[in-house]
Amino acid sequence: MKLQDELPVDHKLAQVYRWGAGLGGVFLVVFGILGLFDTVGFFDTDGKETLGLSSNGALSVLSIVVGGILIIGAVIGGNFASTLNMIVGVVFILAGFVGLMVLDSTANRLAFQIPNVIFSFAFGFVVVTFGMYGRVSSHLPQDNPYWRQRHSGPQTAPDGPQTLVKVLKPGPPNPVGH
């Protein structure tokens, strides 16, 4: 089964994934282009301020590339955009941790400062949330393709005393999502 087969083309979740990837990608591309205009060294560890964040040539080019990938994900849409959002979000969160480790050292090749680290964490969590929206929850609606995939097999009810069954399978027998 391909990932694209799970989500119908006209499903409302596709718009969430597209908007998340598109807005994030546009911001990164704009940040990267503005960072290149400041004529700072490619691997300068000090950087110059662009949109409140420190930037150098390497970070600007990297931002343009990642932003372009997110925009391509927005154009493709569907599960591809969702998965791409989750991957890029996790990479940004990890980049925040790496930025913290190299903050005041010569290994800081992307000119990260504290605002960059905070942005990296925040942007990563926002993009991951856009990617996981409608995919990861215990209360997905029954018309959700991910709910249908998880409940496609035969349902077996737990056996045993009613109290134990309630502990093993809490809630109504067939919950309807919000």
Side-chain angles (χ1 to χ4, degrees):
M1 174 190 305
K2 294 180 183 176
L3 282 176
Q4 296 293 19
D5 295 339
E6 294 176 33
L7 194 63
V9 177
D10 61 344
H11 200 277
K12 60 185 175 186
L13 290 175
Q15 295 303 316
V16 174
Y17 306 146
R18 283 178 184 242
W19 278 100
L23 291 174
V26 166
F27 178 81
L28 289 177
V29 168
V30 168
F31 172 75
I33 290 172
L34 291 175
L36 286 177
F37 284 140
D38 283 339
T39 62
V40 72
F42 199 74
F43 287 115
D44 184 21
T45 56
D46 293 330
K48 286 195 173 181
E49 189 172 314
T50 303
L51 296 177
L53 303 171
S54 176
S55 181
N56 63 9
L59 183 60
S60 296
V61 169
L62 188 62
S63 296
I64 292 170
V65 169
V66 173
I69 291 170
L70 281 173
I71 290 171
I72 290 170
V75 170
I76 294 172
N79 288 339
F80 180 77
S82 171
T83 304
L84 182 67
N85 284 347
M86 287 191 285
I87 291 170
V88 169
V90 168
V91 168
F92 265 85
I93 293 167
L94 293 175
F97 283 116
V98 171
L100 274 176
M101 288 190 301
V102 300
L103 204 54
D104 288 326
S105 71
T106 57
N108 189 4
R109 297 294 180 188
L110 296 178
F112 262 46
Q113 293 178 358
I114 287 295
N116 295 67
V117 172
I118 293 169
F119 170 80
S120 188
F121 285 135
F123 186 79
F125 281 117
V126 167
V127 173
V128 147
T129 302
F130 269 111
M132 291 189 312
Y133 183 78
R135 283 183 93 157
V136 182
S137 173
S138 62
H139 299 291
L140 295 174
Q142 291 181 0
D143 70 335
N144 185 299
Y146 302 105
W147 184 91
R148 278 188 263 132
Q149 180 188 12
R150 292 180 197 144
H151 297 87
S152 61
Q155 295 279 334
T156 57
D159 243 354
Q162 193 63 6
T163 306
L164 181 60
V165 169
K166 189 68 175 168
V167 169
L168 293 176
K169 189 174 180 177
N174 293 316
V176 177
H178 332 328

